[in-house]
Amino acid sequence: MAFSNPSLLSSSCSVYRLNPLLISSKRHRCITFSHSHFIRLTRRFFSTTVAAADTSVFTSPEVAKSFDFTAEERIYKWWESQGYFKPNYDTGSDPFVISMPPPNVTGSLHMGHAMFVTLEDIMVRYHRMKGRPTLWLPGTDHAGIATQLVVERMLGAEGIKRVDLGRDGFTKRVWEWKEKYGGTITNQIRRLGASCDWTREHFTLDAQLSRAVVEAFVRLHEKGLIYQGSYMVNWSPNLQTAVSDLEVEYSEEPGALYYIKYRVAGGSRSDFLTIATTRPETLFGDTAIAVNPEDERYSKYIGKQAIVPMTHGRHVPIISDKYVDKDFGTGVLKISPGHDHNDYLLAQKLGLPILTVMNKDGTLNEVAGLYCGLDRFEARKKLWSDLEETGLAVKKEAHTLRVPRSQRGGEIIEPLVSKQWFVTMEPLAEKALQAVDKGEITIMPERFEKIYNHWLSNIKDWCISRQLWWGHRIPVWYIVGKDCEEEYIVARSTEEALEKAREKYGKNVEIYQDPDVLDTWFSSALWPFSTLGWPDVSAEDFKQFYPTSVLETGHDILFFWVARMVMMGIEFTGTVPFSNIYLHGLIRDSQGRKMSKTLGNVIDPLDTIKEYGTDALRFTLSLGTAGQDLNLSTERLTSNKAFTNKLWNAGKFLLQNLPSQSDLSAWEALLAFKFDKEESLLKLPLPECWVVSKLHMLIDTVTTSYDKFFFGDVGREIYDFFWADFADWYIEASKARLYQSGSHSVASVSQAVLLYVFENILKLLHPFMPFVTEELWQALPYREQALIVTAWPPMSLPRQAESVKKFDNLQALIRAIRNARAEYSVEPGRRISASVVANSEVLQYISKEKEVMALLSKLDLQNITFAESPPGDANQSVHLVASEGLEAYLPLADMVDISAEVQRLSKRLAKMQTEYDGLMARLSSPSFTEKAPEEIVRGVREKAAEAEEKLTLTRNRLAFLQSTVLVSN
């Protein structure tokens, strides 16, 4: 509630002293009340922030038919303006900290982002309400390759090349692009409701994070864990850089398998080996021909020499190795160590030389002789043509290829030996393995622990250099006139490097920095602790929020990002960077297919939000199981949009049935109700005791599931309670108190329970559906603070198991009567009589809820009887057994016109008999059962069985009705 006129709160205001006045923010009208009421209630009002009921932000269900999705942005801005996203240090609890996986600065929102934002925001909002100082650190990644590619394309449209601008000019243009477009993804993440502390937003090229990157490189080099060397990498000819394994995507594409003759040196014309290759242009880099030692076809050639085609007679050895697959192609393998990852490893094992036949731009070099200068694919065509002319081409077959393509540029990646910087990973991996083994880190789901262990146990050294201009420049300087591989200086700055160089080489020395930048993943691996100030802040300040509580991300980057963060965190801080790793799956379409532009099945989160609302999208995404892929469908979104509307309508019902805010004595009585003691529950009527008990059970179950990261379970449990217990049963039952009881005290109890249960549902559901729950919360009178910072309900609140069991019996009775009405097609508005039969103990509590039973079963309130034995007209009634020891008898004459119903059923029975006889005639005919397809015969048998079952039911009902007529007569 807000005071619309601050002057009214002035102690010098005569209106305040003599006739206190407040303005209701809900109904916008003046309210007068006694001075004593004023004194009692202002204690509540003064503890409420003015913003907590800002009518310019919030809309009540009383004035709006449904929740307006356009209000989401207003609500979000209000939260942020109030500082609710910042950690509250006053609680004294252990902090909860989570680092957002930094999306690429070039990115735009997709369902993968929507998934991690939803799950992380659920965690953050839950722990904030639990009273923990909660910090969610946001930021973006500079995305070296992606960003450079975007800007180069932009410059290309202007007719400008990167080299025309030079390094400084180009990076200046990239920064300009970043300032203009870099905020797109973070604004979209806000749209999802992410309650991050945006005052702490980071960018991986920020000054502080850049210092952390340099410091990490220097320290690793000082420990001998960073080295330079020439090794096999994934090379992007168009981007002119090495790329990580994660940036290579494999696709199944049509191609060819080329069969080529390799003559055996010193043999006859019939002595040759035929190899099958998908990349004939790499034969210029062949350094051996290999066969399986157990392959008898080629055993006579082992130890001899083969002549590489089109190389003017260059010889290579014919060797044997079990690595060779006898059944692939011809069983003969050409080994090109400079252009194939497996061949490279084999060459290292066998000590074979490495020949590189390709330039960095994908053209062939001088090793290829006459083919030098040709693009790799042009060279392939020309080489095959020449092989055909020389008689060395055997055949060319269609073959499906697994093609490696650049994730960013889409071009085919070339395995290439290149001089790069590497990190020695084995000693770092050992500590990361121990952290999980000792339980310092928990991986969820647990099955990913095996994958984590396998990858770290078989880890390769990490290529961390990239031949780009956008990124963290490698902090290595070379000496002019000296060998780059032998003479270099690692330093934290140019000034430090020059000082070191002068100490070693004299004052006139000249230095220049390595032109490469670091892999984007290198800075990302430092993210969880560099964003908290490492290495600049004091150890005491740093450890205030470190290690972070949890890392949440997709399982597809467990190795490339998560494991590296663990390794770097332990290396540089001495402890694990986070306690828990929560891995989610991929978002797929309704058919389980991966979303792609090619398939045309991409679902845009922003479009989804416009149609269904953010809350419906978040709730849908959250119902998946950790680590499992989620199939997203419009049916699920539609269902959860309906859930949002159901919440809204429940809020509308509640507000329409609460006392007016002007009725201060009623509100004082209402707010005085407490449900945290056993004795308070025992005083409640059965439906109220039942729903409060069920709520208290739900709070325990949901809180436990939240703590275990079982978010899908949480969502389903709240959904089921709200829809099945609260909306379908208690709200309907409460109408008997509110509309029919005629007792103010009875209605007041129901109002208090409605308010208590509903406000706790909003609390439990807020982390999932923050917008609609906050809107509804603000509409409730006398809220002391915003829902986002309201305390979480405590566990172990009292509950009455016996009351739950009793109400279950009442529900069973009502369901049985409802089913009977439906079975006999009783008109919806028709009230019928009922006799309830049970023992005295059951009748005692059932009879007290006569009004509830009448309302929910549509019974005639004046014609409900309760007895311990069946009524006299039992044989003219429908007998219902609701549960053990609880029965009901419904006079048939109340429900239907018996004579008319007998006539109707007789006609129906005759028609059904005819249909059944026709089906049985077909089944008794051998010409049908023996000649018709099996599935057709099976279908007819199933129809016959179904028809027979319906016949039996109809006969029984008709017999019962006819006997009732006879008895009546």
Side-chain angles (χ1 to χ4, degrees):
M1 183 166 187
F3 292 96
S4 299
N5 188 347
S7 67
L8 295 177
L9 302 183
S10 169
S11 60
S12 62
C13 177
S14 59
V15 175
Y16 169 71
R17 291 198 307 271
L18 301 176
N19 187 18
L21 254 185
L22 288 179
I23 304 297
S24 167
S25 63
K26 177 181 172 190
R27 293 187 171 86
H28 303 286
R29 66 182 181 218
C30 292
I31 310 168
T32 61
F33 47 92
S34 70
H35 191 270
S36 60
H37 277 149
F38 178 77
I39 295 299
R40 284 196 296 270
L41 290 178
T42 47
R43 293 197 181 105
R44 295 182 183 276
F45 300 154
F46 284 135
S47 65
T48 307
T49 62
V50 172
D54 187 346
T55 55
S56 66
V57 176
F58 300 102
T59 304
S60 170
E62 289 183 293
V63 297
K65 182 179 179 181
S66 60
F67 178 56
D68 183 3
F69 303 149
T70 62
E72 293 172 350
E73 292 185 78
R74 295 198 304 274
I75 295 170
Y76 187 87
K77 289 175 182 176
W78 180 77
W79 282 328
E80 190 172 7
S81 70
Q82 301 304 305
Y84 292 140
F85 298 165
K86 298 177 182 179
N88 180 2
Y89 301 96
D90 298 334
T91 62
S93 303
D94 291 335
F96 179 85
V97 187
I98 186 168
S99 291
M100 176 186 289
N104 287 351
V105 71
T106 57
S108 60
L109 198 69
H110 56 65
M111 279 300 174
H113 295 128
M115 173 66 96
F116 87 69
V117 170
T118 295
L119 293 174
E120 291 180 20
D121 198 44
I122 286 172
M123 299 179 197
V124 167
R125 289 177 183 270
Y126 168 67
H127 287 285
R128 184 184 291 122
M129 293 176 75
K130 290 280 282 185
R132 297 177 67 178
T134 302
L135 176 60
W136 187 10
L137 285 163
T140 48
D141 194 297
H142 65 277
I145 292 176
T147 307
Q148 180 159 320
L149 189 61
V150 167
V151 177
E152 284 198 54
R153 286 173 178 168
M154 180 186 71
L155 292 173
E158 301 173 16
I160 302 172
K161 293 183 178 180
R162 170 168 57 104
V163 293
D164 298 337
L165 296 174
R167 186 173 196 131
D168 292 342
F170 176 74
T171 53
K172 181 175 181 292
R173 291 293 298 268
V174 181
W175 276 109
E176 290 172 356
W177 179 93
K178 189 264 179 187
E179 292 304 313
K180 186 174 182 179
Y181 300 106
T184 299
I185 185 66
T186 53
N187 289 332
Q188 292 172 335
I189 285 174
R190 280 179 162 91
R191 191 67 187 83
L192 286 163
S195 57
C196 314
D197 185 354
W198 292 105
T199 64
R200 298 174 184 251
E201 182 180 358
H202 285 287
F203 178 54
T204 47
L205 284 179
D206 285 349
Q208 192 271 318
L209 270 64
S210 296
R211 285 193 297 276
V213 168
V214 170
E215 184 66 26
F217 187 98
V218 171
R219 292 192 189 184
L220 289 173
H221 185 269
E222 287 174 348
K223 292 187 70 171
L225 295 177
I226 285 184
Y227 64 93
Q228 189 181 42
S230 295
Y231 297 93
M232 176 71 71
V233 296
N234 300 308
W235 185 261
S236 173
N238 287 355
L239 296 171
Q240 292 280 289
T241 183
V243 296
S244 74
D245 291 341
L246 185 62
E247 292 157 335
V248 178
E249 293 181 339
Y250 291 87
S251 60
E252 300 289 324
E253 299 179 18
L257 198 56
Y258 301 85
Y259 291 80
I260 304 170
K261 289 182 181 180
Y262 279 58
R263 300 197 184 279
V264 178
S268 65
R269 292 185 62 85
S270 62
D271 288 322
F272 60 85
L273 297 173
T274 301
I275 63 96
T277 179
T278 58
R279 297 193 299 156
E281 69 278 6
T282 61
L283 63 77
F284 299 108
D286 290 353
T287 58
I289 298 296
V291 298
N292 191 293
E294 298 177 0
D295 194 334
E296 297 180 356
R297 294 174 296 173
Y298 309 117
S299 58
K300 63 181 178 180
Y301 298 124
I302 296 173
K304 295 185 177 183
Q305 298 278 314
I307 303 172
V308 181
M310 313 307 291
T311 60
H312 304 291
R314 185 166 67 85
H315 288 37
V316 295
I318 301 172
I319 62 174
S320 64
D321 195 277
K322 291 183 179 179
Y323 165 77
V324 179
D325 184 354
K326 294 187 294 182
D327 299 322
F328 178 77
T330 62
V332 183
L333 178 70
K334 62 185 284 296
I335 300 175
S336 310
H339 299 279
D340 182 274
H341 288 284
N342 292 324
D343 290 1
Y344 178 77
L345 295 174
L346 189 60
Q348 285 187 315
K349 182 179 80 169
L350 301 175
L352 297 173
I354 295 173
L355 275 178
T356 300
V357 304
M358 213 167 286
N359 298 312
K360 298 295 177 66
D361 62 357
T363 60
L364 271 60
N365 61 23
E366 63 279 359
V367 175
L370 297 174
Y371 302 88
C372 179
L374 290 178
D375 174 78
R376 50 184 169 162
F377 302 115
E378 292 177 6
R380 181 180 300 176
K381 292 178 183 177
K382 178 171 172 50
L383 175 60
W384 183 248
S385 176
D386 293 344
L387 288 169
E388 286 180 319
E389 287 185 14
T390 58
L392 295 177
V394 179
K395 62 179 177 177
K396 176 182 173 183
E397 287 182 345
H399 183 71
T400 300
L401 305 177
R402 189 167 178 265
V403 180
R405 289 191 176 273
S406 167
Q407 186 186 63
R408 302 303 176 191
E411 63 172 324
I412 295 178
I413 293 296
E414 191 66 42
L416 206 64
V417 174
S418 175
K419 188 175 76 171
Q420 304 287 343
W421 288 95
F422 295 85
V423 177
T424 303
M425 300 303 291
E426 192 173 337
L428 301 175
E430 186 177 346
K431 296 177 183 177
L433 284 165
Q434 291 175 359
V436 172
D437 186 56
K438 292 178 180 178
E440 296 171 3
I441 294 177
T442 301
I443 299 176
M444 297 166 285
E446 188 179 354
R447 70 178 185 277
F448 283 101
E449 185 177 317
K450 292 181 180 179
I451 301 172
Y452 171 93
N453 289 338
H454 179 267
W455 188 72
L456 288 179
S457 299
N458 298 274
I459 197 166
K460 299 175 183 177
D461 287 354
W462 177 13
C463 175
I464 58 170
S465 49
R466 298 290 181 267
Q467 291 63 53
L468 302 170
W469 284 357
W470 174 247
H472 296 102
R473 192 87 173 263
I474 289 179
V476 171
W477 284 261
Y478 302 108
I479 313 302
V480 174
K482 299 288 185 180
D483 186 332
C484 291
E485 293 190 20
E486 297 297 330
E487 304 287 342
Y488 64 83
I489 293 169
V490 175
R492 292 171 177 82
S493 65
T494 303
E495 294 73 20
E496 182 183 330
L498 186 58
E499 183 181 344
K500 287 183 177 182
R502 285 172 175 170
E503 289 177 3
K504 188 172 182 179
Y505 300 103
K507 292 184 178 181
N508 296 326
V509 69
E510 292 183 37
I511 63 173
Y512 62 96
Q513 192 171 357
D514 192 305
D516 292 352
V517 299
L518 287 163
D519 178 12
T520 300
W521 292 102
F522 189 87
S523 57
S524 297
L526 310 177
W527 182 257
F529 50 94
S530 62
T531 50
L532 291 171
W534 183 90
D536 294 344
V537 299
S538 68
E540 182 177 348
D541 290 340
F542 173 70
K543 291 194 178 290
Q544 180 181 11
F545 280 122
Y546 188 85
T548 61
S549 304
V550 64
L551 173 81
E552 190 286 329
T553 190
H555 63 63
D556 53 332
I557 55 173
L558 173 62
F559 327 118
F560 302 102
W561 186 46
V562 179
R564 286 169 177 165
M565 281 192 289
V566 175
M567 290 184 278
M568 293 297 189
I570 295 172
E571 174 64 24
F572 294 121
T573 69
T575 187
V576 295
F578 27 74
S579 309
N580 299 282
I581 299 171
Y582 181 94
L583 302 169
H584 67 253
L586 299 175
I587 306 294
R588 299 183 178 274
D589 71 5
S590 59
Q591 300 176 44
R593 301 175 301 175
K594 189 174 181 180
M595 292 186 187
S596 71
K597 292 180 181 178
T598 304
L599 293 173
N601 62 346
V602 174
I603 302 175
D604 187 307
L606 297 179
D607 291 341
T608 305
I609 286 171
K610 289 177 184 176
E611 185 174 355
Y612 300 97
T614 302
D615 290 322
L617 174 60
R618 286 172 58 119
F619 194 75
T620 303
L621 295 177
S622 65
L623 293 183
T625 304
Q628 298 287 346
D629 293 350
L630 176 71
N631 294 351
L632 184 62
S633 66
T634 55
E635 289 78 15
R636 288 189 179 189
L637 291 165
T638 301
S639 172
N640 292 324
K641 181 181 178 181
F643 182 38
T644 306
N645 290 335
K646 189 74 171 178
L647 279 168
W648 190 258
N649 289 333
K652 183 179 302 227
F653 172 83
L654 185 69
L655 289 166
Q656 289 172 344
N657 289 282
L658 289 177
S660 167
Q661 287 194 76
S662 62
D663 190 348
L664 298 176
S665 60
W667 270 102
E668 187 175 17
L670 197 62
L671 295 171
F673 276 96
K674 302 296 178 186
F675 303 99
D676 57 348
K677 297 289 190 295
E678 188 80 25
E679 53 268 27
S680 61
L681 258 66
L682 291 172
K683 296 176 183 178
L684 293 174
L686 180 60
E688 283 68 26
C689 187
W690 168 77
V691 76
V692 171
S693 295
K694 293 277 282 189
L695 171 69
H696 291 172
M697 295 174 187
L698 176 74
I699 291 170
D700 287 2
T701 304
V702 160
T703 303
T704 300
S705 293
Y706 265 118
D707 289 336
K708 292 180 178 180
F709 302 93
F710 294 167
F711 302 123
D713 292 347
V714 172
R716 284 183 287 272
E717 287 156 359
I718 300 173
Y719 181 96
D720 290 344
F721 173 80
F722 168 77
W723 205 292
D725 293 337
F726 183 67
D728 285 357
W729 282 98
Y730 184 67
I731 282 182
E732 295 306 312
S734 72
K735 293 175 183 177
R737 322 288 200 207
L738 299 171
Y739 304 156
Q740 299 176 2
S741 69
S743 168
H744 176 74
S745 60
V746 171
S748 181
V749 170
S750 184
Q751 288 170 334
V753 169
L754 280 168
L755 180 61
Y756 175 71
V757 176
F758 189 65
E759 68 182 9
N760 275 287
I761 288 171
L762 296 182
K763 291 178 186 179
L764 298 177
L765 197 54
H766 178 74
F768 284 76
M769 306 176 82
F771 293 109
V772 69
T773 54
E774 186 72 76
E775 185 93 300
L776 288 166
W777 179 266
Q778 295 291 342
L780 298 175
Y782 308 132
R783 300 299 92 192
E784 295 188 358
Q785 54 189 167
L787 179 57
I788 188 176
V789 289
T790 295
W792 189 258
M795 295 178 69
S796 302
L797 290 168
R799 72 284 316 265
Q800 279 291 316
E802 188 62 28
S803 293
V804 171
K805 184 178 178 181
K806 289 177 180 178
F807 194 80
D808 287 346
N809 283 338
L810 179 60
Q811 284 179 307
L813 178 60
I814 292 169
R815 286 194 189 100
I817 296 171
R818 286 174 172 176
N819 291 339
R821 291 180 63 102
E823 186 177 347
Y824 284 90
S825 302
V826 180
E827 296 171 3
R830 187 170 184 173
R831 300 284 168 172
I832 61 174
S833 305
S835 297
V836 179
V837 177
N839 61 45
S840 59
E841 182 183 348
V842 174
L843 289 178
Q844 186 176 8
Y845 66 80
I846 292 290
S847 61
K848 286 182 180 179
E849 301 305 330
K850 181 179 179 180
E851 291 81 4
V852 171
M853 189 173 69
L855 179 66
L856 301 187
S857 304
K858 295 185 178 179
L859 299 177
D860 182 353
L861 185 61
Q862 306 306 318
N863 285 293
I864 305 175
T865 62
F866 299 91
E868 295 185 39
S869 59
D873 61 351
N875 56 359
Q876 299 176 52
S877 302
V878 177
H879 179 209
L880 307 175
V881 178
S883 59
E884 187 176 352
L886 178 59
E887 302 174 16
Y889 291 85
L890 308 180
L892 194 59
D894 272 13
M895 297 196 292
V896 294
D897 181 330
I898 299 176
S899 297
E901 185 69 3
V902 167
Q903 189 175 4
R904 186 184 71 83
L905 286 180
S906 297
K907 290 180 179 178
R908 184 181 173 190
L909 185 63
K911 183 178 178 182
M912 292 171 65
Q913 185 69 52
T914 301
E915 293 174 354
Y916 176 73
D917 291 343
L919 293 170
M920 294 306 296
R922 293 181 70 187
L923 292 173
S924 62
S925 171
S927 62
F928 171 72
T929 55
E930 295 174 6
K931 296 179 181 179
E934 183 180 344
E935 61 271 17
I936 299 295
V937 176
R938 183 168 57 250
V940 172
R941 283 202 177 99
E942 290 173 357
K943 286 182 180 179
E946 184 179 349
E948 184 178 20
E949 184 178 352
K950 289 180 179 179
L951 268 173
T952 302
L953 291 172
T954 305
R955 284 196 192 103
N956 291 340
R957 184 179 297 178
L958 182 60
F960 172 66
L961 290 172
Q962 288 170 336
S963 66
T964 303
V965 171
L966 291 173
V967 171
S968 177
N969 290 336

